[in-house]
Amino acid sequence: MKIPSQSPAPRPRPLRLEDVDLADPGFWRLPRPVRLASFALLRRLEAPAYFGGPGQGFYAVVRHADVREASRRPDRFASAPGVTTPEPAAWAKAVFGNSMVNMDGEEHAALRRIVSRAFSPRLLAAAEENVRATARRIVDEMLVERPVDFVSAVASRMPYEVICDLLGIPAAYRPRIAERVNQASQNAGVSRPLADRLRMPGRGLRALAHMQLMMARLARERRRRPAEDLISALVSADVNGQALTSRQLGAFFSLLLVAGVETTRNAIAHGLALLTGHPDQRDLLASDFERRADGAVDEIVRHSTPIIQFRRTVTAACELGGRAFSPGDKAVLFYASANRDESVFTDPDVFDITRSPNPHLGYGGGGPHYCLGAHLARQEMKALFHELLTRPRELRAVGLPELVDSSFDNRVRALRFAFEPS
């Protein structure tokens, strides 16, 4: 009997520049490898490409050197009026306070000085010990309860509990604040049907309002009865006669709770998936954790890049990456692309915890907006992975992370995991 021949599967069509549209919500639903390949195409262009309609679009800044330079030139590439899309409305800033990430110049510097003064050496030393204790407790409970989703059971809990302890948020407040944080952040950069787009902004704003009301109540309590926590330090901070107003305090709490929790949670989740998928790197880390931990954290952050992009507004005529910019132009800094730049990182798609140097831009490109919580995030990741890798259980992800299609952050919705005796 003659067996009919089977024709080979057609080869996928090579990615073309005309297929790439970063302004199209459909682009962010493509598989992540396709998006990364698209950024590689854009990096080879002579100058940043423009996406979107006339007057409403943006220039995509995708090369490492250009993202870094724009980050360090806030006099030309400003964070105001907002770094996210859509930009925050003026009335929302008036009601909720303006976030530090949307400020420039002396306004930003003054607020950052006040916040930095509150992080006293004694407070930071206590926070370091608490980070280690929190990691031990979370892993202890994980081994007893045997959950199936790593994100909810471990990755989300670690940064949230550390932040709450640092702030001094009472246990009774925490479940409600956690719910508000999730509501405020879960749809950032996500393409949604029209009906959801009409509903979700209201839900997100209500979540911020409830969160700030709780923070205002706590601030009043700490002014009356100070404690050894960040809320007490912030409500009494005085730098050259300046202190935080109620709106500034609320905006900072929202930034710390939403940004500080979400970015670290996603880095931790991606970290477990990467170490599971690269057992040689996992074994290398476990064999000499103290020596390899810093390199592992840097490589996890570089490879996963929890924050995909931030927006800047051009304030004066200038040039960047071969492109002439005019006042009012929008430039989007794509950290996810900069962290895969072949001119900076050898074999950028390879996960290598020994990579050195590793000048990733996962905490921003430097300059005045370098992430204020970078040190704390690194501590959290090192403490947690130390516990996960040194217990007599082999922890591993089961399958791939369940990602959220977002243009803003590399968010992990869920990640199944299992652990068994080594």
Side-chain angles (χ1 to χ4, degrees):
M1 181 177 69
K2 185 177 180 180
I3 300 176
S5 61
Q6 293 184 341
S7 58
R11 291 184 179 181
R13 188 184 69 183
L15 186 65
R16 301 174 304 175
L17 188 60
E18 53 265 35
D19 298 327
V20 179
D21 185 0
L22 304 187
D24 181 2
F27 174 83
W28 302 101
R29 292 192 290 269
L30 295 172
R32 191 161 180 253
V34 176
R35 286 183 273 153
L36 292 174
S38 300
F39 282 124
L41 278 179
L42 295 175
R43 286 194 297 272
R44 291 196 287 269
L45 298 179
E46 294 182 357
Y50 186 84
F51 296 96
Q56 298 179 340
F58 59 87
Y59 290 97
V61 181
V62 295
R63 291 193 287 260
H64 186 280
D66 296 340
V67 171
R68 187 174 181 272
E69 183 179 353
S71 301
R72 298 176 183 224
R73 294 176 63 186
D75 59 323
R76 293 291 184 267
F77 295 89
S79 296
V83 299
T84 56
T85 305
E87 295 168 352
W91 68 265
K93 293 180 184 179
V95 173
F96 298 111
N98 193 12
S99 177
M100 193 187 304
V101 298
N102 298 325
M103 296 178 183
D104 299 293
E106 182 54 30
E107 181 186 25
H108 173 262
L111 183 56
R112 192 157 176 133
R113 281 195 298 269
I114 296 171
V115 171
S116 298
R117 178 71 63 89
F119 284 88
S120 66
R122 180 163 53 173
L123 188 68
L124 290 175
E128 288 185 19
E129 177 53 38
N130 182 62
V131 165
R132 293 189 289 268
T134 301
R136 288 192 295 270
R137 175 170 48 79
I138 288 174
V139 175
D140 284 342
E141 293 173 4
M142 177 199 78
L143 293 172
V144 171
E145 297 170 3
R146 303 188 69 83
V148 297
D149 176 35
F150 182 73
V151 174
S152 58
V154 179
S156 291
R157 285 186 59 193
M158 181 68 192
Y160 181 68
E161 293 186 17
V162 167
I163 290 292
C164 285
D165 290 341
L166 181 66
L167 288 168
I169 296 176
Y173 284 70
R174 297 188 184 191
R176 284 178 291 165
I177 292 178
E179 181 182 358
R180 306 304 185 196
V181 168
N182 190 55
Q183 290 174 351
S185 62
Q186 65 182 343
N187 289 283
V190 178
S191 174
R192 302 183 304 279
L194 176 60
D196 286 346
R197 291 202 302 271
L198 293 175
R199 285 195 298 266
M200 292 309 301
R203 182 187 296 180
L205 291 174
R206 285 196 301 273
L208 286 174
H210 284 295
M211 201 157 39
Q212 293 204 6
L213 285 173
M214 283 187 275
M215 290 299 105
R217 191 178 308 135
L218 285 171
R220 288 194 298 270
E221 292 175 6
R222 292 299 190 276
R223 285 192 179 99
R224 291 194 299 267
R225 290 184 292 276
E228 293 291 329
D229 57 42
L230 186 56
I231 293 179
S232 299
L234 285 170
V235 298
S236 60
D238 188 332
V239 179
N240 299 326
Q242 291 182 303
L244 291 180
T245 67
S246 296
R247 280 201 297 270
Q248 286 174 328
L249 196 60
F252 177 71
F253 286 151
S254 299
L255 174 65
L256 195 61
L257 285 164
V258 176
V261 170
E262 286 300 305
T263 53
T264 308
R265 145 202 151 126
N266 291 329
I268 290 170
H270 282 290
L272 177 61
L274 286 166
L275 292 172
T276 300
H278 300 82
D280 58 325
Q281 298 296 295
R282 175 199 173 98
D283 292 344
L284 184 62
L285 176 59
S287 68
D288 193 348
F289 189 87
E290 293 304 319
R291 178 186 175 194
R292 301 294 185 187
D294 286 325
V297 167
D298 278 331
E299 184 66 349
I300 288 169
V301 172
R302 182 198 72 85
H303 203 277
S304 64
T305 311
I307 296 295
I308 295 172
Q309 51 99 344
F310 267 153
R311 173 173 291 226
R312 295 289 188 266
T313 299
V314 178
T315 59
C318 59
E319 187 275 340
L320 178 71
R323 172 72 63 191
F325 288 88
S326 301
D329 286 345
K330 302 295 182 180
V332 176
L333 313 185
F334 283 99
Y335 308 112
S337 175
N339 282 344
R340 300 291 180 109
D341 192 329
E342 304 84 350
S343 68
V344 177
F345 304 100
T346 302
D347 297 325
D349 295 328
V350 172
F351 178 66
D352 178 10
I353 68 171
T354 68
R355 188 182 296 277
S356 180
N358 190 349
H360 68 81
L361 306 183
Y363 299 117
H369 280 282
Y370 183 79
C371 178
L372 193 63
H375 179 67
L376 182 61
R378 293 173 61 85
Q379 284 186 316
E380 293 171 14
M381 292 178 66
K382 287 195 291 186
L384 184 60
F385 281 110
H386 179 268
E387 292 296 324
L388 294 173
L389 293 176
T390 57
R391 298 299 185 96
R393 294 286 187 274
E394 182 176 337
L395 182 73
R396 57 185 172 81
V398 177
L400 297 175
E402 182 183 335
L403 302 180
V404 175
D405 297 328
S406 171
S407 63
F408 179 69
D409 60 354
N410 193 11
R411 183 183 176 114
V412 182
R413 179 184 286 116
L415 176 63
R416 291 181 61 84
F417 76 123
F419 39 94
E420 54 198 29
S422 299

